[in-house]
Amino acid sequence: MDADWFHPVVDVESDNFWRGCREGKLLIKLCDACGRNHFYPRDYCPFCWSAATRWIEASGRGRLYSYSIVHQNPLPPFKDRCPYAIVIVALDEGPRMMANWDFDVPLDQLACDIPVTAVFREMDGVLSLPAFRPIG
Amino acid sequence: MGKRNVAIVGVAESDFGDTPHLSLNGVHSQAAARALADAGLEKTQIDGLFTTGGGSGLFPLEIAEHIGMKPTYIDSTGVGGSSWETFIEHAFTAIETGKCRTALLVYGSTPRSDMKKKLRGGELALAPRGIAQYETPFGPTVASRYGLIARRHMHEYGTKPEHLAAVAVAMRRNAERNPKAYIRTPITVEDVLASRMIADPLHLLDCCLRTDGGGAVIVTRADIASGCRKKPAWVIGTGGAASHVSMAHMDPMTVSPARRSAEIAFGEAGIVPKDIDVLQCYDSFTITVILTLEALGFCRPGEGGDFVADGKLAWDGALPTNTDGGGLSSNHPGMRGIFLLIEAVRQLRGESTAQIPDARVAVCTGTGGFMSHCGTVVLARD
């Protein structure tokens, strides 16, 4: 079985987000009806169900809410990457998102609530993924 | 306490552990036949089928056909391991409203044999489409999703790896009493901490087993229950609560949706935590138990680590929990909630291998996905 567990299947709600990653921009959505930001992006606001949502560029800054260091994952391409860390970051704009801890930052610098900023890493010539690094 | 109109009257496991001699459908058949015999009912009396969905969208119908049933009431709500507690809630409602007389809940899964046959791999990722496209590309494993939860709990409350380990040690003590438990070798906190890291902060022994196996539960109304072989285990309260699928949407990450499912179920049953004689608590990972204990109100938020540290979850402790050994030591085919019901009923009947004297009230709390959903069921004997 050669299922692809890595490349997102882009759809009409996600297309701008993934294009933003390729351009080095972290795009989230703002609802003009209720004024709240959300991520991941939806056409209809998950808070008030208004369709008046639009893309905004997030600062990329936030705080590391939690993390886990993956020591075992048999699936490609992750298998060869172990150990690596997944992180949940609370963006300064409000929403939380999952990403990787930037691959060249030592894992012993991981700590909850530290300030972090997003970078974008080209993974294989096709996909750019956000990763987070500590600030300062 | 709550009404006594609907009862569990039959419970059974299939063979579990390594079952290369059973097909996936065969696990279901064996469990169903054993539960029917346990209840002392006839197959023709069952008109409701509750089973989780599978690969084909018609999986519940495949199971119905395989076991030779044409049910008029069917449910395959798929919320992971808590599907079984959810099925009890749905069966309760269906029986109370007369839409169903006698319900069969039946489960089976053969991940261990499937891996040996190279029919599946060692990790089940969500395909990176739809909402999963925003997390799967970063390589989160099931264990690391629970690792995120554990890490945040440790950060906020000072929960230690030793606290998590104490849960695994207690489950193993319970498994020592159960001849059918998959692993019965005694372990210590030090053994857990010395086992290899799977998804920091979770070690190998913080993670549930992966076994083959299945189970079945038969639920019926009071007048039919009175004619069954064994004493009824009354369903006196149920509750369910959904939370998230994406880990970024678990907010806060330290609170299980069991807080809401238990509030509903305990309210319906008219009980408080101190009324509970024995607890069956989903233990996919050690952290699952700590969050669930806090959510059910056995201790305050953040105190779960200290609460479990003295071994009170073992069968001879103050809060006997997972007296069959749980998913950490007895069996875990993937969606384990049905085994919580089976062991709870055995406790109320006095049939457990780690029997609690005079157990009258048992609570089951199943957890599905990545603490994505919880279902709580309160059972009581006469």
Side-chain angles (χ1 to χ4, degrees):
Chain A
M1 288 194 296
D2 293 319
D4 183 346
W5 299 111
F6 185 49
H7 297 95
V9 180
V10 177
D11 58 45
V12 292
E13 282 187 306
S14 69
D15 190 23
N16 276 344
F17 170 74
W18 292 114
R19 189 180 306 127
C21 289
R22 288 195 295 277
E23 295 169 357
K25 297 175 184 170
L26 184 62
L27 298 182
I28 65 172
K29 288 196 102 174
L30 164 65
C31 173
D32 282 324
C34 71
R36 295 185 70 173
N37 298 320
H38 72 263
F39 185 84
Y40 50 90
R42 285 93 152 173
D43 290 342
Y44 282 76
C45 173
F47 301 108
C48 73
W49 288 11
S50 166
T53 60
R54 62 184 164 92
W55 295 93
I56 59 170
E57 184 176 350
S59 63
R61 285 187 294 274
R63 286 189 181 269
L64 200 162
Y65 181 68
S66 196
Y67 63 93
S68 178
I69 302 168
V70 181
H71 290 264
Q72 176 178 307
N73 185 348
L75 298 175
F78 310 109
K79 183 178 178 179
D80 298 330
R81 220 176 269 169
C82 292
Y84 60 91
I86 56 167
V87 298
I88 299 289
V89 171
L91 299 172
D92 284 354
E93 291 79 6
R96 288 188 197 150
M97 65 180 294
M98 182 182 284
N100 286 120
W101 186 240
D102 202 11
F103 299 101
D104 65 357
V105 181
L107 295 170
D108 62 11
Q109 292 188 28
L110 284 159
C112 290
D113 289 344
I114 61 170
V116 292
T117 191
V119 292
F120 294 87
R121 296 297 176 210
E122 183 161 309
M123 303 304 291
D124 59 358
V126 181
L127 177 62
S128 280
L129 285 180
F132 283 87
R133 304 175 62 88
I135 295 174
Chain B
M1 286 192 198
K3 301 184 270 197
R4 299 193 174 203
N5 299 339
V6 176
I8 297 177
V9 294
V11 295
E13 293 126 344
S14 72
D15 295 349
F16 63 81
D18 294 287
T19 63
H21 57 292
L22 293 173
S23 73
L24 176 61
N25 288 341
V27 173
H28 289 77
S29 301
Q30 188 184 58
R34 289 177 179 176
L36 187 71
D38 185 65
L41 292 171
E42 298 296 324
K43 176 178 168 237
T44 51
Q45 292 177 270
I46 300 169
D47 58 351
L49 177 65
F50 295 67
T51 192
T52 42
S56 87
L58 300 177
F59 190 73
L61 301 179
E62 289 182 34
I63 292 299
E65 180 179 294
H66 192 81
I67 64 177
M69 272 182 71
K70 294 188 176 178
T72 50
Y73 196 95
I74 201 157
D75 186 353
S76 62
T77 304
V79 289
S82 52
S83 296
W84 307 97
E85 283 67 35
T86 306
F87 288 149
I88 291 291
E89 176 162 277
H90 294 183
F92 178 93
T93 306
I95 291 167
E96 277 229 316
T97 56
K99 296 297 290 183
C100 172
R101 288 190 306 276
T102 299
L104 169 67
L105 282 58
V106 62
Y107 170 60
S109 182
T110 54
R112 198 167 184 91
S113 291
D114 292 351
M115 280 180 68
K116 285 182 185 158
K117 294 171 189 163
K118 308 233 180 280
L119 296 174
R120 57 159 275 179
E123 181 67 30
L124 295 179
L126 300 177
R129 63 171 64 92
I131 69 173
Q133 69 183 293
Y134 304 101
E135 298 203 340
T136 298
F138 303 108
T141 56
V142 175
S144 69
R145 289 167 189 259
Y146 280 88
L148 292 169
I149 296 168
R151 175 58 62 190
R152 186 68 199 180
H153 200 272
M154 293 164 86
H155 174 73
E156 285 190 21
Y157 298 117
T159 307
K160 298 183 176 76
E162 289 80 0
H163 292 140
L164 299 173
V167 174
V169 171
M171 297 308 105
R172 190 62 58 86
R173 283 205 61 229
N174 293 341
E176 287 172 41
R177 305 270 302 185
N178 179 1
K180 290 182 179 169
Y182 193 69
I183 302 186
R184 303 173 66 201
T185 319
I187 52 171
T188 62
V189 166
E190 292 69 34
D191 291 332
V192 179
L193 300 183
S195 65
R196 68 189 157 86
M197 200 62 93
I198 299 294
D200 192 336
L202 301 176
H203 300 79
L204 178 67
L205 294 178
D206 286 302
C207 304
C208 65
L209 307 172
R210 179 159 43 210
T211 66
D212 300 331
V217 167
I218 293 174
V219 189
T220 195
R221 62 192 198 195
D223 60 321
I224 300 174
S226 63
C228 287
R229 280 183 60 224
K230 304 225 173 124
K231 289 181 290 187
W234 299 106
V235 179
I236 63 167
T238 62
S243 174
H244 62 278
V245 176
S246 308
M247 293 313 293
H249 282 58
M250 184 178 182
D251 182 24
M253 210 168 241
T254 50
V255 177
S256 164
R259 180 182 286 184
R260 290 178 291 135
S261 67
E263 185 182 342
I264 298 166
F266 291 4
E268 207 165 272
I271 65 159
V272 293
K274 68 173 171 50
D275 297 324
I276 298 166
D277 298 312
V278 59
L279 176 67
Q280 308 301 329
C281 167
Y282 212 85
D283 61 341
S284 44
F285 298 90
T286 49
I287 187 64
T288 316
V289 175
I290 288 180
L291 256 68
T292 306
L293 291 168
E294 294 176 5
L296 267 50
F298 287 106
C299 57
R300 285 185 292 194
E303 293 181 352
D306 283 335
F307 184 79
V308 302
D310 66 354
K312 66 167 62 67
L313 303 187
W315 63 277
D316 53 356
L319 179 62
T321 298
N322 299 346
T323 41
D324 63 341
L328 287 162
S329 286
S330 181
N331 60 24
H332 201 308
M335 291 188 279
R336 192 176 188 274
I338 200 160
F339 300 105
L340 309 184
L341 300 166
I342 294 168
E343 177 63 12
V345 169
R346 287 184 176 152
Q347 282 287 352
L348 297 176
R349 290 174 174 177
E351 294 178 348
S352 172
T353 52
Q355 184 61 43
I356 309 311
D358 200 33
R360 292 174 173 272
V361 176
V363 164
C364 305
T365 290
T367 298
F370 324 109
M371 297 215 106
S372 306
H373 179 272
C374 283
T376 298
V377 171
V378 185
L379 300 173
R381 70 167 211 213
D382 280 320

